[in-house]
Amino acid sequence: MFTNERRQQERTGRYGTSRVEFLQELVTQFQNTSADETREKILANLANFAYDPYNYNFLRQLNVLELFIDCLTEPNEKLVEFGIGGICNSCVDPANSAIVTKFGGIPPIIQCLSSPDRNTVNYALGSLYYICDDFNKEEILKPEVIDIIRRYAAAEDVSVSFSNLAKAFVNKHLSGNE
């Protein structure tokens, strides 16, 4: 369920922790721990908050999108999965997409297309669907990336979700470009 200011006030009460303060606490905890399991849980939480447009300004203010990008190069597959999940959840908003692009997020997102983790691949396909625009399409629509996406589009026997996301990408970004 999406949040608005009134609903947030009702949920936190007069003396509760504001959303931005709570998100800041999560970011601080993530940065101050080295325990993989704890970092995974915190990043999964942040990725879930990235789903709600109410949180977009807070995520930008706290540099959470950059944190998601940084996690894409982690050796821990769960951190990669939750990082790309957070990007996918938030990049439906053009301002968030612009930040992901500005801070070098496209190459590691493309790398996620080759992940052994199904969720990571799904999130990468979804992220590229939303991020690809006139300003960065040359970086995304390289022959090797198009080839991978076309193979996913044709692989409905292997994964319907890969196929559907890849077909949506092809329809939106490649139709008429051939």
Side-chain angles (χ1 to χ4, degrees):
M1 173 184 273
F2 294 130
T3 305
N4 59 40
E5 195 61 45
R6 191 177 114 243
R7 181 163 166 24
Q8 186 60 30
Q9 186 64 33
E10 290 169 359
R11 292 182 73 204
T12 58
R14 183 187 249 160
Y15 305 106
T17 302
S18 73
R19 179 62 57 91
V20 71
E21 290 173 319
F22 181 73
L23 291 171
Q24 178 63 67
E25 288 174 20
L26 287 175
V27 170
T28 301
Q29 288 173 5
F30 182 87
Q31 293 169 333
N32 290 336
T33 188
S34 59
D36 278 348
E37 188 175 327
T38 302
R39 294 179 81 209
E40 291 167 8
K41 288 178 182 177
I42 294 167
L43 196 62
N45 250 326
L46 288 168
N48 284 334
F49 279 105
Y51 187 79
D52 190 339
Y54 178 79
N55 298 315
Y56 290 168
N57 284 330
F58 306 138
L59 297 174
R60 289 190 293 266
Q61 177 185 337
L62 299 171
N63 301 317
V64 174
L65 298 168
E66 292 91 325
L67 176 71
F68 290 151
I69 294 166
D70 289 345
C71 287
L72 299 184
T73 58
E74 288 280 338
N76 179 327
E77 277 295 324
K78 282 294 182 191
L79 291 179
V80 174
E81 175 188 346
F82 298 139
I84 190 68
I87 290 170
C88 185
N89 286 346
S90 63
C91 70
V92 68
D93 180 79
N96 292 339
S97 289
I99 288 172
V100 170
T101 300
K102 177 182 176 183
F103 287 95
I106 293 173
I109 291 172
I110 291 170
Q111 285 297 119
C112 288
L113 292 173
S114 301
S115 173
D117 183 83
R118 286 176 154 328
N119 289 332
T120 299
V121 173
N122 274 327
Y123 294 142
L125 286 166
S127 298
L128 291 173
Y129 175 88
Y130 287 111
I131 289 173
C132 188
D133 62 24
D134 288 339
F135 302 107
N136 60 32
K137 67 181 177 184
E138 287 184 21
E139 185 177 2
I140 295 172
L141 299 180
K142 295 177 181 175
E144 61 272 19
V145 177
I146 292 171
D147 181 56
I148 291 169
I149 291 173
R150 287 197 185 284
R151 282 190 278 135
Y152 282 134
E156 53 194 30
D157 289 342
V158 177
S159 173
V160 173
S161 62
F162 289 179
S163 179
N164 288 343
L165 281 165
K167 286 176 184 176
F169 183 94
V170 168
N171 289 337
K172 182 176 181 183
H173 299 293
L174 297 175
S175 295
N177 290 348
E178 313 190 61

